[in-house]
Amino acid sequence: MSPMAVPIADYVGLSAVIFFIGVAGVIVRRNPLIMLMSIELMFNAANLLFIAFSRAWLHNAGHIFAFLVITVAAAEAAIGLAIVVTVFRTSRHVDVDDIALMKG
Amino acid sequence: MIVLALVLLPILAGIIMLLIPAREENPVLAKGAGTVIALIEFALALGARDSEFSLRPWLSRPFESSFHFGATGISFWIVLLLAVVTFSAILAMSVPRQRQFVAQMLLLEGTMMGVFLAKDLLLFALFWDLMLLPVFFGLLGWGEHPATAWRYFIYNFAGGLALLLATATFGVLFGSTDVIGRTDVHVVGSWVPWIFIGFAFAFLVKTPVWPLHTWMPPTYSNTPPPMVAVVSAVQSKAGLYGLIVICMAFMPDYLKAYAGVLIVLGVISLLYGAVVSLVQNDTKRIVAYSSLSHLGLIVVAICSFNAIALQGALIYIIAHGLFSAGMFLTLGYVEAREDTRSLVRLGGLGAVNPKLAGALCITSLAALGLPGLAGFVGEIVILTGVFQAGFIWVTILALIPIVIAAAYMLRLFQGVMNGPEVEDLPVRRDLTWLEGIALAPIVLALVVLGVNPHALTTFDPAQYNATQTQVAQGVAR
Amino acid sequence: MIVNVTNADWSAIAPTSIVAVTALVVLIADLLAPKHINRYAAIVIASIGIIVAGVIAYNQFRSGVNYGAFGGAFILGGFSTVFEEIILIAALGSIVLYSAIGREDRIAGAIALMLWSTSGAMLMAGAGNLMTIFLGLELLSLALYCLCGLADRPTSRESALKYLILSSMASGFLVYGMALLFGASGSVALADLTQPALATNPLFWMGAGMFFVGIAFKLSLVPFHAWSPDVYEGAPLPVTAYMSVATKAATLAVFARFMYAAIPSGIGDKLLLPIWILAAISMIVGNVGMLAQHDLKRLIAYSGIAQVGYILTALAGGTPLGLRYAIYYLAAYTFMNLGAFAVAALISGDREEGSRLANYRGLGRRHPAAAAFMTFFLLAMAGLPPTAGFLGKILILSTSVSAGYAWLGVILIVGTAISLYAYAKVIRAMYQRDEHAHVHEAKANVPLAWASAVVCFVLVIAMTFYPLTPSNVLPLVK
Amino acid sequence: MAAFWILGITLIGSAIWCITNTKPVYSVVALLLNFAALAAMYLTLNAEFLAVIQMIVYSGAILILFLFVIALLSSGVTPFSVGPNKLPRIGIPAVVVLLIALGFLTYAVNRVTANAFANTSPTSPVGPVGTAGVFGSVADFGKALFTTYLLPFEITALVLMVAVIGVILLAGDQAPYVASQKQAEEVRREMREAILRGGE
Amino acid sequence: MPVHHVMGNEGNYPYLLALWLLPLAGAIVNWAFGPQLKSAAGALGSAAIGVAFVATVLMWGAATQSVPSTGGVNLVGAHQTLFSWLPGFDFGLLMDPLSLLWALIITGVGFLIHVYSIGYMDGDNAFARFFAYMNFFVFAMLTLVLSDNFVGLLIGWGLVGLASYFLIGFWFFKPSAVAAARKAFVLNVVGDVGIMFAIFMIFASVHSTGFGDAFAFAGSYNTGWLFAICLTLFIGAAAKSAQIPLQTWLPDAMEGPTPVSALIHAATMVTAGVYLIARCAPLWSQNQDAQMLVGVIGALTALLGAILGCAQWDIKRILAYSTMSQIGYMIMGVGVGAYEGGVAHFFTHAFFKAQLFLGSGIIIHALNNEQDVRRMGGLIKTMPFAFVAMLTGVIAISGIPYLGSGFFSKDLVIQGALQHGHPWLYAIALITAGITAYYMCRMLFVTFLGQYRGNVDPSDLGIRHPELAGTSAHAAEHDEVHAHAPAWLMNVPVGILIVPTVLIGWLMFGGENSPWAHFFAQQFPHPALPAAPISETLTAVIAFALVIVGIAIAWARYGVAPAQQNAVERLRQESVRMPAVLTNAFYFDYAIDWLFVRTSQLLGTLFGRFLDPQVIDGAVRETAFSAQWLGTLVRSFQTGLLRTYAFLLVIGATCFMVYYAVAMGAAK
């Protein structure tokens, strides 16, 4: 078996950076579509980690997990977009700051 | 079984009464049914002495707990008092929505029966919280200011929660809560002071003791008279009862360690209640603050660690129950007739209502500790014991409120009954025979216990030499 | 490596499968049934499916079987079945509320979604590896996102969006944590997380931390709670009822399994400390948050935040009895919540009037029975006797004391005191003598909701006097 | 090694581009770039099947969906815009907090040594990409998916079913359910009030 | 439990029970069936007391029967144990010479006053109630004097206070009567409390409250405690017997009907303090300090009462102050150790003071409740019988040698003070005797000599506030004309009382060998005393001289012819020039009011209006508010904005990561 060319810690670091870029996207952006994309980024960061660890352990459970995450992400994107559409269909602008009927 | 019936009969009857649809409203029938049940309760209570009922287990882990009731020791007397007072209260009342009120009264009786009959701490805690509810709803439904209901409830529930925590901890440490009246209970460990504080807090709020008392005056003045009679007569005794059968019986060392604090609080209550009573204008508030004073004396008695004082406490518990119930009922009759409780407005009723005046007179005299009535016996026996225990200054301070009590009780009695007749009060009617019958047992008991309190003693003189713990257990057993 | 999938494996997930299949049957029946009966057809079919699943789960519980199906992906045993039962009860209690609420043409779809959500929750209850946890959670959540948005109210859609984005974000943390856990242990099985070497593995610690973020979000512990009041308020009444119990039950199952069966020995106290701290904060914040609410669902959301704190208090210390009493309290909480929602459904019309607390003003006179039930359930949540809430608190207090977490017990007491104040405000409104209140009239002719309230009432009382805590759960966690 | 850095920089760059773009369409493009880079990275990690799936599912399905929605929402009289920012000062604290989290995460994880993974027994050997039967191959993946991980796989079916039914229910009939015209007006008034009140 | 030291011969004494319980039975019957009994109530009530008197007389033999002495306490009398009150507290009746003497007065004089009351109270709305209270009083007083232990004594003590309260406030529609009744009761409770405290100390010392036990161990008390016991007992005595500083209730107590004043506030109840000290003679004899204290207080009260008696215009208040003064004598007597003398003065005082009150009652009744002597005058012509009655009483109280009973007893007291080594008290007592003669004669002359002044405008007589002075205020309320009962009902008892008033003092004649000394031979301790520096005869001469001076001054001021002619103007002058310190009774009322009443009320107001609602409740409210404030705080985080929630989530997650990174480091 061939050892990994790149230390595992580098993969973790890379994925962590991507993950937190995703998190930052959710926090700072007001466009729900971008928010959904940021969430996709977070999932992808996790996927990268799964696959890197899979390779490190030479255990394909990580692949399966990544596959499941992709499936779920797809379903989530579909439902999320549907909700975004229903929420903003009547509105003239797309801004999560505008949807705050409930608070307190 | 008889003790189980004592607890369940009024509760079930109350629930059934509540469930009857409103269109079947019949005040006389409701009152009649309530009276009959109260009478049955009285008969059962008479026959319940030393009977027990136990069904186990309720819980087996984390501690053992069972459905254990017993009318032993002091429980019997308090239960008897409860039965008498409830009977009197139901018999001659007139409030709107009578059926629902009678139901609340029965629920109150049943839940308080549970408190005083429970031999299991968990059961005790359960009924402890439960007995708040009928009063709460009574205040909500029939009180003048519903806000008072919340004050009553929140204060007492805070105490109930402390009780809950203490009970749970006690159960864990000792492994069983089926302990009331047992003599082999010794809890040790660093937790015990906290358990003790939890129990003591609950009991002192309920009693109440200064400065935890502020729920009481508004509660007493707002609750309908039949209910406040029962509450002041019996419910306020739950704290003292708990102090004796739980704190003193199981944690005497800690009670002793904190006795100084409790005695100081008791003495403050004594003096505080007395001087505040002196200037109140609401008749029921006067009695409320006087209760603070009287119950403070019992706390002092319990914490003085003297067998005679404890004996006096038992007598005074019953005596205070009788005279405060009598006073609240009588003042209730006055209020029902005149639509006011203000001493400023009342006056001169005695000329037209000699029987009413007589009733108020006897109960207020018992309250001020007139020799020959039950209140005096309690006071003198308690103070004899407290003095013997070496609390000389406490005794001296405790004597002052007796003088003040004479002043405020007479101010109350004379303010209502004596003086020139007030012109603008409505036309009045003297005590009806029903009201007379309602008051008769209370007055009779006050006189009988004043003349011969021996009947009440639960232990023989030989026990005067026993340790305090043994006495407390004897009281509970 | 070949794993044989046997009949036993399929029977292990039989209750779950039945629920999932029932959802399909509901959808098909909706197409076939005449329009005027399709609401009841859906409810009845769903109820039957749930009851059958419940009976099967009960039999599994009785038979004491305990094995890992699908290579350990799903662990059948007393633990999973108990949680499955609670989740099924929550689903049943919520689905019958659809008889009082909601649009005719979407009921079948909603019920189907709720059933799938239920099956996801049940999978979480029995999950033996991280994948099942993740998928169960997503199945549960995805269905709930849709369910939240199904009502034709702006608030409903808003709640769906908020729930979706926040929950997905939390899922991101969860799945990232799972990735780290996988990296630490080289396996997705929970059982492999007990390797002693992991106690010092940074990957494990950070993975567990991010995993707990996801769990804490689902449990709506402070500060991960912010979504729940808004989402509860916006979601349709039956969905809120379901969500308030099922998500918590399923997540608690996952958390309990994790803390009892997936932590290297010796680091439990340190690893779980943040959770207990959050539980303590939640008990205070949840109860305090109730004080100024105007909406019943919102109030129950805050109440739920606190109640989860209570349940975690029972778990603190990781004693076997703690687990039992956590389950006991969870069951009690289920019945209390469902009962309250049943009453809310009773006085609701087409626009969920039962949700706004203003509509409860004077209920004590207009509809004494409904008011009495509501009072009872609220007081039960506050822990007044003779309710299961009372006994549950006693049991939790005693376990927390014996496990050395008495400080949590004290906070529980403080929180309870605050909560009473909040519940009392609702009750006060109900019994207020306010003659001029312009309020919605109760329908009060919904037999299913009535039945639900009565059953909950009876069970809450019965559980006090006959505390049926499952006795043989702990050995079956692993 | 070089591939990792190139791809890594591409990943980070495209991710930042994605979340900073003002136009959602450009974000989609950035995301596409990101996904493609990720797929390439999967290849370097012997996960060729996942790389393919990544391209097909993400780029082929999800991103197209995003584009459709963007088009749908922009199709009104005016292109959709962004309202007033109600949390104007959240950006800097957010970045600070995230950097702290990132720092602690990477600090913690960097303490793990590579030999932590040495003592493992591979389920299948590592070979050239595309070779059947070795780690990461379709066969290897498929066998695991349908045996060891059968249950998760089954659940994904339910997940997708939920997505389908849910989207149908959500995006289906949007007309408010009202019994009468009068009630419809009331509903509208109520909605207006609800919006004005800002939720109590 | 300690051994019980019983006093007297244990036995069953039906007469004892009868005399004790008959008045109670009378009270209950009168109270319960008053409206039905109508005028028969008076006869019934009187009969009950009369029979009790007969029973008392029949007890004479048993009560004076001595017991074979076992040392320690002198044992004499009859004792009957009744029941166990509490474990260790037995309850019984004891009749020894001391109790017998009191019981005789209570039932005997009581009977006469009851009969008198039938006439006096005739026509009152609450006729039966009056007799119920009176009978109840007799029962209570008998309980007091017959009890064999301190608790029983205290019960009687409290019950007589209650009866006194009822009877002072008998006309409860009068605010002044109501206030007077309350004042009397509260001040008496102060005394009750004193006795209670003494009981605690006695119980703590001897584990019993029985007289026998308490006295048997009298020598064994710690000196300080013994003084404290005596002091607290004396607080009780002072309150009941109107001694300084607790005397202020007695003049006000005259609001009650006159027979009440005669029986309770002159003859019997107010002398309970004397009884108590005489009863506790074994204790007092052991403690010089207590003797000194009580003697001084008694002498001061005697002097003060006499001085105040000179400044009163209300006939009953004059008599009230004289009562206070005379009780001062008694207290001084028993206080310094001259027990026979003090008790003798009680005995004679009971007769002559009852005589005086009943006599004044005849006048008041005849003048339609007029009590101000300034509005009387010249009554000797219209009411000669009343004059005779009053004259014999005045002679007796003034101590005219051999003509009235007061001479003998007062002499015993005065001489006793000297003999027991208190020359200053002796001097005060002598001076007081002179003043007594002055003010009693003043009352007599103003009332009976000169012209009738009832038709003079009150302001001409110096009566400033007629409506407040009680002159005609309640006359108006009894205006309705009713048939008076036959006059003999009132006159006969007064006539009967003249006999003992004049003659009974001869019992004390003869020093050591008098029947009086024999009667108490076994009752009181008789320590050997040095001979007094002034002989008894010389004392009598000095006293008589002072009395003559007093009478002469009174005669010069009110009796001589010019004074009689100018009576209106002279009385006005005297009224106007009366020193304020005297009209305000040395400001005792103000002092008590400011020191205790107002202080308590102020504290009560402070606590009830401020501390309770503002501080204690305020603290609770603040707690509730802070919970509410926390609720608002929680709500402020709940902005409704999705991004806030996300940010909260991230902050939480960051905290988690920080914790785990640190905790992991610690785990390594």
Side-chain angles (χ1 to χ4, degrees), chain E residues 411-558:
Chain E
D411 213 37
L412 278 181
V413 171
I414 296 173
Q415 186 66 21
L418 190 65
Q419 207 169 8
H420 285 81
H422 300 283
W424 284 105
L425 303 184
Y426 173 76
I428 294 175
L430 282 174
I431 293 167
T432 308
I435 302 173
T436 306
Y438 163 71
Y439 72 79
M440 288 312 294
C441 290
R442 169 179 176 267
M443 179 201 80
L444 194 71
F445 300 156
V446 173
T447 310
F448 286 100
L449 301 183
Q451 296 297 314
Y452 180 58
R453 295 180 296 272
N455 39 16
V456 177
D457 185 344
S459 57
D460 286 347
L461 289 164
I463 302 171
R464 281 175 205 160
H465 305 288
E467 71 282 1
L468 293 181
T471 47
S472 47
H474 41 90
E477 302 199 6
H478 282 260
D479 266 349
E480 71 263 40
V481 180
H482 57 262
H484 277 275
W488 64 264
L489 270 175
M490 286 162 73
N491 291 346
V492 166
V494 178
I496 293 172
L497 273 173
I498 290 177
V499 179
T501 301
V502 176
L503 296 179
I504 204 84
W506 290 97
L507 286 176
M508 295 114 192
F509 186 70
E512 302 280 310
N513 300 316
S514 64
W516 190 256
H518 278 294
F519 187 68
F520 286 115
Q522 285 174 300
Q523 180 79 46
F524 297 119
H526 294 95
L529 291 169
I534 299 170
S535 77
E536 196 164 350
T537 323
L538 187 57
T539 304
V541 170
I542 298 171
F544 183 56
L546 286 167
V547 166
I548 291 296
V549 171
I551 294 174
I553 295 173
W555 179 255
R557 284 175 67 99
Y558 307 103

Side-chain angles (χ1 to χ4, degrees), chain B residues 156-172:
Chain B
N156 281 293
F157 191 68
L161 288 173
L163 182 69
L164 217 62
L165 186 55
T167 304
T169 318
F170 182 95
V172 169

Side-chain angles (χ1 to χ4, degrees), chain B residues 151 213-214 272 289 388 419, chain E residues 165 172 182 207 612 617 620:
Chain B
R151 191 193 296 216
H213 67 284
T214 52
Y272 192 93
Y289 275 109
Q388 199 188 29
Chain E
Y165 162 81
F172 57 70
R182 181 156 85 222
H207 291 277
D612 257 19
D617 255 10
V620 175

